[in-house]
């Protein structure tokens, strides 16, 4: 390096520019600043040469030193601003653009049967009933015997019932896939002293398969045991249920029928919520839709669960949840409810 202070200043200025351009972050740039422009930096120490210069040279060197130092400080500031902007751009690139619309995954919905079941439960809970369920594999005592099904009743045949173990008339203790939710009522009456007000709901199994029946379907049953309970209470309860579930003043009617576990027994119908048009495929122009069976609990059933039929009476009813889902959502075939076809299920944003 030349002994001329001006040449030395120019050489340091060149080195400073190269190191500033090579600095890739704020820490490296600060190190260059300290090295050259710090209190004891290479450029700062050049001021000491002024005392060794002749008086006529000091002014020119002083002006050159100040100009060089000012230029280096401007270069340092420009490089610092460039590094700051680069760091900001990098941070923004790592973040999501908050001005863009979020691509959300579409939310799922309840299955029509689940939606219908929850609506049914909500209605009966509002009327003061407990909602219960029981095991799918049931002993024949609870599924048939305690419900006054005689040993030769057709429902006990292999053609109608899925036997898991044994069958009626054999030495093996028969277990069946429950054919209705009535065993839940038996269990409730065995464990709860009267008054009893429960709703039994869940999956049941029968050997049926057509447009309105499935080998596996869902059922809901109501039971009320108390002193002085009669058919008028049953009809009033069904009327209040239909009114609450469909949100309109639809009438209910009872038609005499036979069921082993009730006496007297009745089929119960409701007014068609879609009108009484001849073209209505739900009621076929009759104005009425059959919902299920009902009646006063048979004294033999009360005896089977150690409830005195001379003191207590009760009523029961039952109908299919799947049938209600078909009615509520105008589903033409029950099989559609069990095929898990997304194209079908997307039509019901429940």
């Amino acid at each position: 390096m030349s002994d001329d202070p001006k040449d030395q200043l120019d050489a340091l200025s060149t080195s400073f520019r190269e190191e500033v351009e090579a600095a890739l972050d704020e820490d490296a740039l600060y190190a260059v600043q300290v090295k050259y422009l710090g209190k004891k930096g290479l450029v700062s120490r050049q001021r000491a040469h002024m005392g060794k210069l002749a008086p006529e040279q000091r002014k020119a060197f002083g002006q050159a030193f100040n100009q060089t130092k000012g230029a280096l400080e401007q270069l340092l500031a420009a490089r610092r601003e460039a590094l700051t902007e680069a760091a900001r751009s990098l941070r923004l690139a790592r973040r999501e653009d908050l001005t863009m619309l979020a691509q959300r995954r579409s939310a799922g919905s309840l299955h029509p049967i689940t939606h219908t079941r929850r609506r049914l439960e909500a209605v009966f809970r509002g009327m003061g009933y407990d909602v219960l369920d029981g095991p799918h594999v049931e002993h024949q005592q609870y599924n048939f015997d305690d419900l006054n099904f005689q040993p030769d009743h057709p429902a006990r045949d292999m053609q109608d019932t899925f036997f898991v173990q044994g069958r009626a008339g054999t030495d093996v203790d028969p277990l069946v896939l429950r054919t209705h939710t009535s065993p839940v009522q038996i269990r409730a009456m065995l464990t709860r002293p009267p008054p009893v007000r429960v709703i039994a709901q869940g999956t049941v199994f029968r050997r049926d398969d057509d447009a309105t029946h499935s080998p596996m379907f869902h059922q809901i049953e109501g039971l009320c045991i108390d002193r002085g309970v009669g058919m008028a209470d049953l009809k009033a309860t069904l009327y209040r249920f239909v009114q609450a579930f469909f949100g309109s003043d639809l009438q209910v009617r009872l038609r005499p029928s036979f069921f082993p576990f009730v006496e007297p027994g009745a089929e119960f119908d409701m007014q068609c919520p879609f009108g009484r048009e001849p073209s209505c495929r739900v009621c076929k122009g009759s104005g009425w839709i059959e919902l299920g069976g009902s009646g006063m609990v048979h004294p033999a059933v009360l005896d089977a669960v150690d409830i005195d039929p001379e003191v207590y009476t009760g009523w029961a009813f039952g109908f299919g949840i799947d049938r209600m889902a078909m009615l509520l959502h105008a589903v033409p075939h029950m099989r559609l409810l069990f095929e898990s076809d997304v194209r079908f299920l997307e039509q019901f944003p429940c």
Side-chain angles (χ1 to χ4, degrees), residues 263-283:
E263 179 60 39
E267 299 278 0
F268 70 94
D269 307 329
M270 76 169 195
Q271 277 185 309
C272 179
F274 308 109
R276 194 174 179 176
E277 299 296 329
S279 60
C280 179
R281 65 181 180 181
V282 178
C283 70

Side-chain angles (χ1 to χ4, degrees), residues 1 29 32 49 56 90 94 113 133 170 264 281 310 322:
M1 181 180 293
L29 189 64
V32 175
H49 289 296
E56 62 275 11
L90 183 61
R94 291 175 179 172
I113 292 178
D133 196 3
T170 66
R281 65 181 180 181
E310 298 296 328
D322 309 332

Side-chain angles (χ1 to χ4, degrees), residues 16-24 29 75 79:
F16 178 85
R17 293 175 184 276
E18 293 175 353
E19 293 190 31
V20 165
E21 292 297 329
L24 300 179
L29 189 64
L75 182 63
R79 182 59 177 167

Side-chain angles (χ1 to χ4, degrees), residues 212-278:
T212 58
H213 297 85
S214 171
M216 185 276 292
F217 59 102
H218 303 83
Q219 193 177 60
I220 187 168
E221 298 185 8
L223 173 69
C224 177
I225 304 293
D226 205 344
R227 298 174 185 266
V229 171
M231 290 289 284
D233 303 299
L234 168 62
K235 186 173 182 180
T237 301
L238 293 174
Y239 170 72
R240 294 299 181 189
F241 151 68
V242 169
Q243 187 180 49
F245 186 79
F246 289 98
S248 57
D249 189 18
L250 300 173
Q251 296 299 314
V252 172
R253 72 179 183 184
L254 300 178
R255 293 179 290 109
S257 187
F258 171 76
F259 302 99
F261 35 83
V262 291
E263 179 60 39
E267 299 278 0
F268 70 94
D269 307 329
M270 76 169 195
Q271 277 185 309
C272 179
F274 308 109
R276 194 174 179 176
E277 299 296 329

Side-chain angles (χ1 to χ4, degrees), residues 29-58:
L29 189 64
Y30 180 73
V32 175
Q33 179 182 359
V34 172
K35 178 180 177 181
Y36 287 91
L37 300 178
K39 193 172 182 179
K40 297 181 180 181
L42 297 177
V43 174
S44 300
R45 290 205 301 262
Q46 294 300 309
R47 185 186 290 271
H49 289 296
M50 293 182 64
K52 302 176 183 179
L53 297 175
E56 62 275 11
Q57 295 176 326
R58 291 177 184 173

Side-chain angles (χ1 to χ4, degrees), residues 161-220:
T161 302
F162 292 101
F163 280 83
V164 177
Q165 172 182 294
R167 58 170 300 178
T170 66
D171 295 334
V172 180
D173 208 16
L175 297 177
V176 301
L177 291 179
R178 64 181 184 183
T179 59
H180 43 193
T181 54
S182 300
V184 180
Q185 299 182 19
I186 296 296
R187 292 175 179 273
M189 288 187 285
L190 287 171
T191 56
R192 298 184 177 206
V196 178
R197 293 180 177 85
V198 296
I199 293 297
Q201 59 80 30
T203 307
V204 298
F205 309 86
R206 297 180 190 173
R207 291 178 177 269
D208 293 324
D209 190 12
D210 55 42
T212 58
H213 297 85
S214 171
M216 185 276 292
F217 59 102
H218 303 83
Q219 193 177 60
I220 187 168

